[in-house]
């Protein structure tokens, strides 16, 4: 793995800042579901992005998640042999699936729901998630050999250690982000806030227009 966590946080912040000018306020309906990655994220708080629009937040959280995940993978590979083996097996099973719609996406699109929420009584003919499950079922292997009690306990302990390590990294990412808050806030003020102000002004004009029912 290249460079310290701090250096990687700094680099991912640079990349996000370079992406930000491409953001435009969405005109589609708001997301009905809360994003598990972004809602209440201490990383977004540390970056000063709690109140930013979700697409602006999401690319940032996924970039920081990428920094943490890579470091945890590296730690697991070097220190946690049982967990590393299970992850390799799971990845090998997954790579056999012919259809993996959630992979290879830019950070701005990673980890989002693949399908919009259904309207009750009007199910979709197919969903990306459904197609993925079907594809997975077609290549399903025989179930793996069950673990012994000792193996289960040892694996649980390794999962706990990996989790502990991820939490420590999360704290380091937050500390490092406090050094980047100013430039993040500057970019939000320059790129995001004027566009939101414009959107609200447009809405205001629309509500005042004689074409609006009840105006
Ligand atoms: Zn999100």
């Amino acid at each position: 793995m290249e460079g310290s966590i701090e250096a990687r946080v700094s680099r991912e912040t640079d990349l996000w800042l370079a992406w930000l000018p491409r953001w435009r306020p969405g005109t589609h309906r708001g997301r009905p579901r809360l994003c598990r990655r972004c809602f209440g994220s201490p990383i977004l708080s540390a970056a000063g992005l709690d109140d930013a629009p979700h697409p602006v937040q999401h690319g940032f959280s996924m970039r920081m998640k990428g920094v943490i995940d890579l470091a945890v993978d590296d730690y697991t590979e070097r220190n946690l042999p049982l967990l590393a083996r299970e992850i390799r097996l799971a990845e090998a099973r997954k790579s056999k699936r012919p259809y993996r719609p959630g992979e290879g996406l830019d950070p701005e699109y990673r980890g989002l729901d693949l399908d919009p929420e259904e309207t009750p009584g009007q199910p979709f003919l197919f969903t990306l998630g459904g197609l993925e499950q079907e594809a997975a079922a077609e290549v399903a292997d025989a179930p793996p050999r069950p673990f012994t009690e000792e193996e289960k306990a040892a694996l649980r302990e390794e999962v706990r250690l990996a989790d502990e390590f991820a939490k420590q990294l999360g704290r380091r990412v937050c500390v490092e982000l406090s050094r980047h808050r100013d430039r993040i806030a500057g970019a939000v003020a320059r790129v995001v806030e004027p566009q939101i102000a414009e959107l609200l002004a447009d809405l205001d004009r629309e509500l005042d227009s004689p074409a609006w029912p009840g105006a």
Side-chain angles (χ1 to χ4, degrees):
M1 199 176 48
E2 293 276 305
S4 67
I5 284 292
E6 286 72 15
R8 302 197 56 234
V9 165
S10 176
R11 200 176 64 219
E12 290 296 328
T13 303
D14 293 343
L15 291 172
W16 178 83
L17 288 167
W19 164 83
L20 193 63
R22 287 167 41 205
W23 172 78
R24 294 285 173 276
T27 44
H28 52 81
R29 259 180 340 130
R31 286 170 49 80
R33 282 169 283 199
L34 283 176
C35 176
R36 284 183 301 131
R37 300 279 172 220
C38 298
F39 185 69
S41 157
I43 283 180
L44 290 175
S45 288
L49 286 171
D50 317 69
D51 297 325
H54 179 247
V56 169
Q57 294 179 326
H58 194 79
F60 194 87
S61 0
M62 293 313 282
R63 287 185 180 282
M64 295 305 146
K65 178 182 182 304
V67 169
I68 294 174
D69 284 354
L70 210 63
V72 172
D73 286 352
D74 185 59
Y75 171 83
T76 303
E77 200 57 54
R78 285 193 284 157
N79 305 293
L80 307 173
L82 295 174
L83 184 59
R85 180 171 169 275
E86 286 310 307
I87 291 171
R88 274 198 299 274
L89 288 174
E91 274 166 8
R93 281 196 295 273
K94 216 173 153 192
S95 70
K96 280 199 236 159
R97 295 183 195 173
Y99 181 64
R100 302 188 294 278
E103 288 183 14
L105 301 172
D106 286 341
E108 292 75 34
Y109 301 103
R110 249 174 252 157
L112 291 173
D113 291 318
L114 293 168
D115 297 294
E117 201 160 28
E118 282 182 15
T119 314
Q122 291 179 296
F124 294 122
L125 287 179
F126 65 89
T127 60
L128 296 180
L131 291 177
E132 187 182 23
Q133 275 174 15
E134 278 171 35
E138 278 167 28
V139 293
D141 298 315
R145 176 183 67 85
F147 292 114
T148 64
E149 284 308 313
E150 292 90 88
E151 283 171 332
K152 272 189 213 163
L155 195 55
R156 261 190 218 113
E157 176 59 10
E158 289 197 2
V159 170
R160 191 191 63 77
L161 289 169
D163 195 48
E164 187 49 47
F165 186 69
K167 283 189 187 129
Q168 280 172 29
L169 287 173
R171 287 192 282 272
R172 270 172 72 185
V173 168
C174 289
V175 170
E176 175 62 14
L177 282 176
S178 63
R179 296 184 45 240
H180 299 281
R181 270 181 86 103
D182 286 352
R183 57 192 194 121
I184 291 170
V188 168
R190 219 168 34 247
V191 177
V192 178
E193 282 164 13
Q195 295 195 62
I196 292 179
E198 201 179 319
L199 198 74
L200 292 175
D202 278 351
L203 186 66
D204 217 32
R205 273 194 294 276
E206 215 174 290
L207 291 174
D208 280 339
S209 103
W212 186 261

